[in-house]
């Protein structure tokens, strides 16, 4: 896509600190890191988000994520990561080209776990939500 910063990185029109590359994916350092080594894995083709990523790319995607983790783990001497996707605007997705965050975690880094992202049950019970899901499926 013409105006997409990540497509520009794929096309080498914008520089990036590349870490790993496969036929269909690229990983590079996040330019505004939340931790040393904060990296992103993106597909070379512009898919809006995870839900649009073709299933056939699943295995290659996992491999590039794991390889990138290994590279970071070795270089930065870490064994813990927060891994995640801001899927959609309400979840904080700013760049509409699918990207997977790898955030290395360090001793006493002041961060939280994924449970810290949101706590908003809207007062509904798990049973109620399960019923709603089942009614629609
Ligand atoms: P998100 O909020 O999930 O859409 O995250 C987008 C991420 O892309 C942010 O963490 C940004 O710091 C990062 N980012 C934006 N522009 C660049 C760039 N040119 N190179 C590397 N990372 C970038
Ligand atoms: Zn793009």
């Amino acid at each position: 896509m013409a105006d997409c910063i990540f497509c520009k990185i794929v096309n080498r029109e914008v520089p990036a600190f590349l870490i790993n590359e496969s036929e269909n994916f690229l990983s590079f350092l996040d330019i505004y890191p939340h931790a040393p080594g904060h990296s992103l894995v993106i597909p070379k083709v512009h898919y809006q988000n995870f839900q649009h990523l073709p299933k056939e790319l699943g295995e290659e995607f996992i491999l590039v994520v794991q390889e990138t983790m290994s590279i970071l783990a070795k270089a930065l001497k870490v064994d813990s990561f927060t891994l995640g996707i801001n899927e959609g605007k309400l979840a904080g997705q700013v760049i509409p080209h699918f990207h997977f965050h790898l955030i290395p975690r360090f001793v006493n880094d002041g961060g939280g776990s994924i449970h810290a992202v949101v706590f908003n049950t809207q007062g509904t019970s798990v049973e109620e939500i399960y019923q709603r899901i089942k009614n629609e499926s």
Side-chain angles (χ1 to χ4, degrees):
M1 252 178 66
D3 271 344
C4 174
I5 186 82
F6 287 172
C7 284
K8 286 182 179 163
I9 287 176
V10 170
N11 296 328
R12 308 303 201 258
E13 293 162 19
V14 162
F17 296 99
L18 300 184
I19 294 180
N20 195 11
E21 182 167 13
S22 70
E23 188 186 346
N24 295 295
F25 292 91
L26 205 59
S27 69
F28 52 88
L29 292 177
D30 194 298
I31 206 74
Y32 304 112
H34 282 243
H38 180 176
S39 301
L40 303 171
V41 174
I42 66 167
K44 290 182 180 174
V45 170
H46 183 101
Y47 301 111
Q48 192 183 326
N49 55 32
F50 182 65
Q51 290 169 77
H52 290 86
L53 191 70
K55 291 175 187 55
E56 310 82 72
L57 296 183
E59 197 174 334
E60 187 184 335
F61 170 64
I62 289 171
L63 198 69
V64 174
V65 168
Q66 290 180 340
E67 281 175 6
T68 303
M69 286 170 73
S70 297
I71 292 166
L72 294 170
K74 190 167 171 225
L76 303 172
K77 314 256 179 305
V78 286
D79 61 9
S80 298
F81 291 84
T82 293
L83 304 173
I85 301 164
N86 293 325
E87 179 86 351
K89 269 191 194 152
L90 291 183
Q93 184 175 5
V94 174
I95 298 187
H97 179 135
F98 170 59
H99 51 282
F100 186 85
H101 291 263
L102 296 85
I103 305 179
R105 299 301 302 268
F106 297 86
V107 178
N108 296 328
D109 66 8
S113 78
I114 201 154
H115 301 290
V117 171
V118 69
F119 191 76
N120 170 31
T121 65
Q122 300 178 347
T124 45
S125 68
V126 174
E127 288 80 5
E128 207 176 322
I129 291 298
Y130 186 68
Q131 247 350 294
R132 227 189 274 173
I133 293 164
K134 284 290 145 188
N135 290 345
E136 291 297 325
S137 57

